[in-house]
Amino acid sequence: MSLIAKIYPNEVPQLLRSIETQGYAVLENAVTDEGLSWFRQWIEEVSTGSGQGYHAIFGDVEKIDHTPLATLSENDNFRQLMQSMAEKSLGRPLPEQNILAVLRCVQGESGKKKTNTFHYDASVITALLPVEIPQHGEARGDLVMFPNLRPFRASVLFNVIEKTLMQNRLARYLLTKAIKYRLLKPMTLYLKPGNLYFFYGYRSLHANGACDPAFRRATALFHFGDPHYGSTLTRSIVKLNRLLAR
Ligand SMILES: [Fe+2]
């Protein structure tokens, strides 16, 4: 089955220019209709087994073998593209790393808790594939972000302190209020299923916006390039984040 319609590693300079200038880059219709159908079929199966609440599945577990999530994250062209983007952004080669793939389903009342949970990712480049996005109404769960808000930090400790200050209930509450009263204006990225969106997850404070609990918002996320690779502190935080997400 052809999952990816077009991924060309030589598109990196153009993609990075877009990320630098407008906060994100997009490869339109990068995933085929056939590929999207496969994803949706799989998500339906996963959702049935997980109840109708919020859930996330991480791509480093065996249960995603032979799923579209694994197939896409193991695609050579996609991996090369992600690696090249991350290395050019950092200005240095990175040790051998895999793409960390995550399937995230926001649905039902429990999904509301996952709205506006602003955060920085641990990895340089984040690619987001919308699989199911409600196409009607205002609460579609689009991506809300403050792009390129911070540089790549040289110090892992500084990174941790910064994340701790920004990723807590009080900070998120204040941020959400400031957005509500238009004191701060984040960018809203209107997501279209099948497109692949790229942004600096590490540098951009981001979250999904409100999502109508009657609809399911399913996205596949692909992370590549840990700038603090090898740090025990970072590894522990990533593990903790996964546990919390589960
Ligand atoms: Fe993220």
Side-chain angles (χ1 to χ4, degrees):
M1 179 186 289
S2 168
L3 188 62
I4 296 184
K6 51 173 188 177
I7 294 272
Y8 304 119
N10 61 5
E11 289 176 294
V12 168
Q14 177 56 43
L15 291 173
L16 289 180
R17 257 195 306 279
S18 296
I19 294 175
E20 288 287 351
T21 53
Q22 64 178 16
Y24 72 97
V26 58
L27 284 179
E28 292 189 357
N29 303 314
V31 172
T32 61
D33 288 345
E34 212 181 0
L36 270 183
S37 299
W38 188 21
F39 258 109
R40 286 172 181 156
Q41 202 180 335
W42 177 54
I43 287 166
E44 193 58 44
E45 287 166 21
V46 168
S47 294
T48 306
S50 306
Q52 292 301 311
Y54 168 84
H55 54 274
I57 292 177
F58 286 80
D60 55 354
V61 292
E62 282 177 8
K63 66 179 170 182
I64 76 144
D65 282 352
H66 311 297
T67 65
L69 192 66
T71 304
L72 188 48
S73 62
E74 287 163 9
N75 178 281
D76 278 345
N77 280 354
F78 185 41
R79 205 197 114 77
Q80 278 174 34
L81 183 88
M82 292 287 276
Q83 178 154 2
S84 180
M85 287 173 86
E87 290 183 340
K88 282 194 164 53
S89 305
L90 288 175
R92 59 181 161 88
L94 285 165
E96 192 69 24
Q97 297 174 37
N98 292 325
I99 288 179
L100 172 64
V102 183
L103 173 74
R104 197 165 172 268
C105 291
V106 177
Q107 57 189 356
E109 292 299 318
S110 65
K112 280 185 181 174
K113 290 179 191 159
K114 300 297 172 182
T115 295
N116 293 323
T117 50
F118 282 93
H119 63 279
Y120 293 115
D121 290 340
S123 53
V124 177
I125 291 285
T126 301
L128 187 159
L129 169 69
V131 180
E132 288 183 17
I133 299 291
Q135 294 299 311
H136 303 288
E138 286 185 14
R140 300 167 8 112
D142 287 300
L143 184 71
V144 184
M145 72 171 165
F146 297 93
N148 306 335
L149 201 58
R150 64 173 188 159
F152 293 112
R153 298 295 183 198
S155 158
V156 62
L157 187 60
F158 194 99
N159 175 46
V160 171
I161 292 169
E162 194 171 32
K163 280 166 76 85
T164 306
L165 290 174
M166 298 300 291
Q167 297 174 199
N168 60 68
R169 288 175 73 172
L170 176 62
R172 284 171 177 157
Y173 173 80
L174 294 173
L175 194 54
T176 306
K177 289 289 175 204
I179 293 169
K180 186 178 175 187
Y181 294 111
R182 297 178 188 277
L183 298 171
L184 292 173
K185 289 181 186 167
M187 164 194 278
T188 299
L189 198 51
Y190 298 99
L191 304 172
K192 181 174 170 271
N195 287 355
L196 256 180
Y197 298 87
F198 299 87
F199 59 99
Y200 284 138
Y202 184 100
R203 297 181 54 197
S204 306
L205 197 61
H206 60 279
N208 67 267
C211 191
D212 190 324
F215 297 99
R216 178 164 61 208
R217 175 196 190 268
T219 50
L221 293 148
F222 304 90
H223 302 101
F224 190 89
D226 177 0
H228 309 292
Y229 188 77
S231 154
T232 313
L233 197 53
T234 306
R235 279 207 302 272
S236 308
I237 289 167
V238 169
K239 271 185 197 165
L240 182 64
N241 282 341
R242 285 180 200 171
L243 281 174
L244 292 174
R246 276 171 189 152

